[in-house]
Each structure stands twice: as C-alpha cells, then as structure tokens.
Amino acid sequence: MRTLDVIEYVVAHRQGAVAQEIAGALAIPVSSLSYLLATLTERGYLAREGRRYLPGPGLQRLRAPDAALTLEDRVTPLVRALRSELNETSSFMARRDWDVEALVTEASDQALRYAVDPGTRRPLHALAAGKVMLAWLPEAELARYFAEVQRDSFTSATRTTETELRADFSNIRNEGICVAREEATPGICGTAVPVWIEGQLAGAFSVAVPAVRFDAASEARIRALLIRTAAAIQAG
C-alpha cells in the first residue's frame, strides 16, 4: 500500500516532490521511504532530478493510452493526494444539469468531518464547486439559469439572489478560486478551484472543512494545494 501511495503521490504532482514532502504527506517514516524511493527509482517507476522525484519511464509500461482514461481515472489520484496532505474531505465535482455531483471523494479520518458519498448531488448555488462552475458559464446560459432555477436557502449564509451570486461569480473569476462559508451545511466551509482540460471546464476540485478548523492558516494552505492540484492535471 505504501508503494502505491508513493507512486500515486508523485504522479499527482507532475512538478515533482522531495522526500520530506512525500514522507510528511503520507505519514511514512523517512527510513522506510528512503528504501521505497530507491527501489522505485531503480526499477524506473520514478526518476530523480536533484532532490525531486518525478514519474519515471517505467510507468509507461503500465499506462493505458490517454484516450482510454476516463475523467474519473485522471482525477482520482489527485483527490487522494489532496486528502493525504490535508486529512480533510476532498472531492472532484462535476456539473449535472443545474446540480453538482461528487464524482470522486475521499473522506477525512478525523472524528469531526464532512462526508459525502460519490454520486451525491446538490444545487449549484450553495457549494463552492457549484459556484465555480456557474462563474464560467456563458452569459446566455447563466441568464437561463437565473430564469429557470429556484434557489433555496440551506443556512442563514446561503446566497440566493442574482445580485449576490453575480457578485460572487465576479470575485471567483478574478481570484480563480471560491470559498463558501457554511452556505450549504451549517459548520462546514468549502473551497474549490476550476479544472480545465483542453480548454473546457471539466469540473472542480474541492475541500470541505469543519468551520472550527478553517482558520486563516488552514484556508491559505488549502488554497495553495488546490491551485497546485488543478495545475497538475493540466500539466498531465
């Protein structure tokens, strides 16, 4: 399991990862990790450039053609890496009509956590991932959304009016990221970034954190990791 975790972590970070980063993210003792990294490098599954480990040529022997990989195949290792680094519930969300669906999700193992089952759907306007997908809709489609969709309040913080949401969408486009504080579920804050594949908005990576743990340092770390993760899938 540790060997697979190391490979998936490095593959998910196409810019490479140093041993200390891998050890910390995956909770592997440095002594054990050194042996795994040496073996994987020797077999060609990883390559080393300076202090950084990158996907090696040996992985090509195991890889299906790009055309055979589904969207779920591509995002699953990245979702797992997010969850490993943060130990917070991490997901990839895709748009389904006027809902957002959890395509891939990995739950935190902390006692206080937000859990979502794959396949779960929620309205776009309440979740950070859904607001990301609305923010980049063409104007004609966005106008249709506002005309057709009834937007319910789930908490006192849910933003439902067109004026409020359009202001949010403008901020999301400017910052490239969305933070929704207790808008869908009391006590849960969500952060999401768009995922672009071949110029198309494929969905969003998101992290859900109990509000009691979502301080300034946590928010900054989650933002940085989500941006890095979205960049990794584009690089792949």
Side-chain angles (χ1 to χ4, degrees), residues 153-174:
S153 291
F154 300 100
T155 74
S156 60
T158 308
R159 295 165 71 80
T160 59
T161 70
E162 181 173 349
T163 300
E164 290 174 327
L165 288 170
R166 282 188 178 273
D168 288 346
F169 300 160
S170 178
N171 289 333
I172 292 166
R173 289 191 297 270
N174 287 336

Side-chain angles (χ1 to χ4, degrees), residues 4 35 38 44 84 90 98 105 153 168 170 172 188 191 197-198 220 224 229:
L4 293 173
Y35 173 78
S84 293
S90 304
W98 298 129
T105 185
S153 291
D168 288 346
S170 178
I172 292 166
I188 299 297
T191 308
I197 298 178
E198 298 179 355
T229 301

Side-chain angles (χ1 to χ4, degrees), residues 121-143:
R121 292 191 181 191
R122 299 291 300 275
L124 288 167
H125 73 282
L127 270 70
K131 292 172 81 169
V132 162
M133 286 176 248
L134 285 169
W136 272 278
L137 281 182
E139 177 55 37
E141 194 169 2
L142 188 58

Side-chain angles (χ1 to χ4, degrees), residues 87-109:
N87 197 15
E88 300 289 359
T89 298
S90 304
S91 306
F92 178 83
M93 304 282 193
R95 179 186 161 197
R96 300 288 184 260
D97 297 321
W98 298 129
D99 291 331
V100 61
E101 178 183 334
L103 185 64
V104 178
T105 185
E106 294 282 333
S108 165
D109 64 9

Side-chain angles (χ1 to χ4, degrees), residues 13-226:
H13 296 79
R14 295 302 179 92
Q15 76 280 13
V18 300
Q20 290 85 349
E21 177 187 347
I22 300 169
L26 301 180
I28 300 175
V30 173
S31 57
S32 299
L33 180 63
S34 297
Y35 173 78
L36 289 175
L37 291 172
T39 302
L40 289 168
T41 302
E42 180 182 352
R43 298 290 294 271
Y45 294 113
L46 298 182
R48 186 171 180 176
E49 292 184 3
R51 297 174 57 242
R52 306 191 78 81
Y53 290 88
L54 300 138
L59 294 177
Q60 295 299 324
R61 299 193 300 268
L62 309 177
R63 185 180 180 185
D66 285 343
L69 295 176
T70 66
L71 179 59
E72 186 174 352
D73 292 332
R74 296 184 66 176
V75 301
T76 294
L78 294 162
V79 172
R80 288 176 180 163
L82 271 173
R83 187 268 180 199
S84 293
E85 292 194 63
L86 297 167
N87 197 15
E88 300 289 359
T89 298
S90 304
S91 306
F92 178 83
M93 304 282 193
R95 179 186 161 197
R96 300 288 184 260
D97 297 321
W98 298 129
D99 291 331
V100 61
E101 178 183 334
L103 185 64
V104 178
T105 185
E106 294 282 333
S108 165
D109 64 9
Q110 301 192 66
L112 180 61
R113 65 185 184 273
Y114 178 76
V116 57
D117 294 326
T120 299
R121 292 191 181 191
R122 299 291 300 275
L124 288 167
H125 73 282
L127 270 70
K131 292 172 81 169
V132 162
M133 286 176 248
L134 285 169
W136 272 278
L137 281 182
E139 177 55 37
E141 194 169 2
L142 188 58
R144 184 167 67 86
Y145 167 78
F146 282 120
E148 293 180 359
V149 177
Q150 177 179 326
R151 298 173 296 280
D152 297 326
S153 291
F154 300 100
T155 74
S156 60
T158 308
R159 295 165 71 80
T160 59
T161 70
E162 181 173 349
T163 300
E164 290 174 327
L165 288 170
R166 282 188 178 273
D168 288 346
F169 300 160
S170 178
N171 289 333
I172 292 166
R173 289 191 297 270
N174 287 336
E175 296 186 12
I177 198 164
C178 175
V179 177
R181 302 176 189 275
E182 302 185 66
E183 294 185 31
T185 304
I188 299 297
C189 298
T191 308
V193 293
V195 174
W196 300 92
I197 298 178
E198 298 179 355
Q200 299 297 314
L201 184 59
F205 287 118
S206 69
V207 175
V209 182
V212 295
R213 289 201 297 271
F214 196 64
D215 56 17
S218 173
E219 179 179 347
R221 184 164 184 243
I222 289 167
R223 281 173 173 261
L225 288 172
L226 281 169

